[in-house]
Amino acid sequence: MKPVNVGICGLGTVGSGTFKVLRDNADIIEARAQSAVNLVHIGSRRDNPGCDPGGIRVSRDIFEVARDPEVDILIELIGGTTDAKHLVEAALRSGKHVVTANKALIAEYGNELIALAAQHNVTVRFEAAVAGGIPIIKALREGLAGNRIQWLVGIINGTGNFILTEMSEKGKQFSVALAEAQALGYAEADPTFDVEGIDAAHKLVIMASIAFGMPLQFSQVYTEGISRITPQDIDYARELGYQIKHLGVAKQTDGGVELRVHPTLIPQQRLLANVCGVMNAVLVEGSAVGPTLYYGAGAGAEATASAVVADIVDLARDLAVDQIPQVLPLGVGADAIKELPVIAIENVRNPWYLRMEAEDRPGVMSQVASVFSDNEISIEALIQKAPAQDETRVPVIVLTNATQECNLQKALRSLEALDGVTGEIAGIRVETLDG
Ligand code: HSE
């Protein structure tokens, strides 16, 4: 078998992790790829003091790797969507296969990059773009190939899950937990991508596209992050029997596809409610297999490198025998990709958790209850806390039954207009994961 040559662009956290896994596991990688996998070129704008490339050629101009005739597979690990897109296009146009960990690039430009790859008889692989080291792309695209996927829900941002876990278990402030996640190398270069849900939305779009055979449509995802979650909400949710997790949800329904990422109350006894720290997990419901759960490290250098190397091995197996890889990036070809309507968030139905501050005087609770009945929202549970000393207001927590989101928003406006309710009302969706 002829050896397969790879070039890595970007020697940051994931790049240096990939370098290490390729070097340390070279024997098993060669056995599984059935050919030697040689790292022959590194494109990096600066040195990484934690990663000595030894005798491997290093170029400061990353595009040198795309131009190198020796390179069969270019590994894009520079991140961002401007230079990364140009680099990937250059590699594909010069007949190189591409492996990337870049979820923003695939979520936003994947349709055109996959089409460009097909024009040049090469392919793009992105296992590392979703859920770090968990082989969820391969599971959706290959392992579950015999199923119609009905829905998937996942904890798909390690940083966000780490922060919520630290807040929940150790009572830490949001900012302290975020700084720790950054120091551990979990967070994106711009951590607002993690805490505002953008990173999770990128990953959700990629999974939904493979699961449902639809184009990548990042702009259609409803996106809400965790920056407004308070320790109080975490405590009240726990008292009601729930954990707060940041979830990505993709569901096929009769009216179209739901694509949404937001904080969610999950019943404490569900496996997903017990996924803690930087770990990720994705629950997938297949028509034949039923529910399946995938769990593992969602971020970090070597965990993500594990997924990058899995893509390299997959490609190397075919390239070693001069075969064009047959597994398509989204599992099906362009002719089988169908535009599916995405349901507007106003039309999605969910139960809700609400927390408001109410005046502690007669009649207020009855006004609150009337707003729910006027909007045909059924109350599942209601807790009123005793007032703190010298305080005339009390926290009121309401758990509703499922209602359409536009209905809930209307009720919220009415509640906020009551003179017995002060300030903004906190609202978090509830997912019971019953199917
Ligand atoms: N910032 C991402 C996360 C890294 O925390 O999940 C892996 O995509």
Side-chain angles (χ1 to χ4, degrees):
M1 304 288 173
K2 67 171 196 180
V4 173
N5 293 335
V6 304
I8 291 181
C9 291
L11 209 53
T13 305
V14 181
S16 56
T18 302
F19 176 92
K20 186 169 184 305
V21 173
L22 283 174
R23 183 195 60 201
D24 294 353
N25 297 346
D27 54 345
I28 193 71
I29 288 168
E30 177 169 347
R32 289 179 177 145
Q34 292 159 44
S35 74
V37 174
N38 299 326
L39 175 56
V40 296
H41 200 159
I42 293 172
S44 181
R45 289 169 180 150
R46 58 194 75 83
D47 289 335
N48 179 339
C51 182
D52 175 6
I56 296 168
R57 180 180 171 197
V58 177
S59 297
R60 292 289 176 230
D61 175 4
I62 52 174
F63 285 84
E64 280 294 310
V65 181
R67 289 190 283 267
D68 184 344
E70 264 201 82
V71 169
D72 301 304
I73 307 172
L74 182 141
I75 321 294
E76 184 279 304
L77 301 173
I78 62 169
T81 51
T82 307
D83 288 352
K85 180 165 183 273
H86 293 147
L87 179 69
V88 168
E89 286 169 342
L92 296 174
R93 287 202 173 98
S94 58
K96 298 185 194 321
H97 302 273
V98 169
V99 171
T100 178
N102 193 330
K103 51 247 159 177
L105 183 69
I106 298 301
E108 293 175 37
Y109 301 105
N111 298 321
E112 57 186 279
L113 293 175
I114 289 167
L116 181 65
Q119 277 170 28
H120 292 273
N121 283 327
V122 287
T123 195
V124 187
R125 292 288 170 89
F126 39 82
E127 182 65 71
V130 181
I134 305 175
I136 186 66
I137 300 290
K138 201 171 181 70
L140 290 169
R141 194 180 52 199
E142 296 162 56
L144 300 177
N147 290 259
R148 291 180 195 283
I149 308 292
Q150 282 139 347
W151 52 262
L152 59 88
V153 297
I155 294 172
I156 45 179
N157 182 265
T159 300
N161 203 40
F162 178 85
I163 292 171
L164 287 176
T165 306
E166 293 290 299
M167 287 173 73
S168 171
E169 290 180 359
K170 299 180 191 154
K172 284 189 187 155
Q173 293 297 324
F174 177 85
S175 55
V176 173
L178 171 59
E180 276 179 28
Q182 286 177 290
L184 289 164
Y186 303 149
E188 295 303 300
D190 177 355
T192 57
F193 274 48
D194 295 299
V195 297
E196 297 307 343
I198 301 157
D199 176 79
H202 285 143
K203 294 166 180 169
L204 183 76
V205 159
I206 297 171
M207 290 194 292
S209 179
I210 297 170
F212 305 148
M214 64 193 286
L216 294 143
Q217 295 183 74
F218 174 65
S219 62
Q220 302 264 32
V221 187
Y222 171 79
T223 305
E224 194 183 309
I226 58 166
S227 57
R228 292 168 69 186
I229 299 295
T230 66
Q232 281 168 297
D233 292 318
I234 292 174
D235 289 345
Y236 292 141
R238 191 184 290 122
E239 199 175 321
L240 287 160
Y242 294 85
Q243 289 289 336
I244 299 181
K245 293 289 178 190
H246 190 256
L247 278 195
V249 179
K251 271 186 198 170
Q252 296 243 41
T253 72
D254 292 342
V257 176
E258 292 179 16
L259 291 177
R260 49 191 169 92
V261 301
H262 48 71
T264 314
L265 267 71
I266 308 177
Q268 232 146 30
Q269 71 275 17
R270 297 285 180 193
L271 286 169
L272 275 188
N274 296 286
V275 172
C276 295
V278 73
M279 303 310 271
N280 280 193
V282 184
L283 182 61
V284 183
E285 174 82 10
S287 57
V289 71
T292 55
L293 181 66
Y294 308 85
Y295 170 85
E302 286 181 50
T304 311
S306 161
V308 171
V309 173
D311 276 345
I312 297 172
V313 170
D314 250 4
L315 294 180
R317 234 178 250 129
D318 288 332
L319 301 184
V321 290
D322 285 325
Q323 167 143 348
I324 297 174
Q326 296 296 305
V327 175
L328 297 166
L330 298 178
V332 295
D335 52 341
I337 295 280
K338 293 193 187 65
E339 295 278 350
L340 298 174
V342 177
I343 299 180
I345 193 71
E346 295 76 26
N347 297 326
V348 169
R349 282 180 71 81
N350 273 308
W352 279 75
Y353 159 99
L354 303 174
R355 174 178 52 80
M356 64 198 90
E357 292 283 323
E359 293 292 338
D360 188 20
R361 58 178 159 78
V364 172
M365 199 56 88
S366 112
Q367 288 175 354
V368 167
S370 298
V371 169
F372 287 103
S373 66
D374 292 350
N375 288 282
E376 296 185 6
I377 299 172
S378 171
I379 294 175
E380 168 82 17
L382 188 147
I383 303 175
Q384 185 199 302
K385 293 290 181 185
Q389 205 176 4
D390 301 329
E391 186 52 87
T392 58
R393 294 172 307 168
V394 290
V396 174
I397 296 95
V398 178
L399 210 55
T400 76
N401 283 329
T403 184
Q404 202 164 352
E405 191 131 341
C406 52
N407 216 22
L408 192 280
Q409 296 301 340
K410 197 162 142 262
L412 279 185
R413 286 193 293 275
S414 301
L415 287 167
E416 282 176 345
L418 293 177
D419 58 5
V421 171
T422 51
E424 214 179 311
I425 299 174
I428 309 175
R429 295 167 189 82
V430 179
E431 197 76 45
T432 53
L433 304 176
D434 289 333

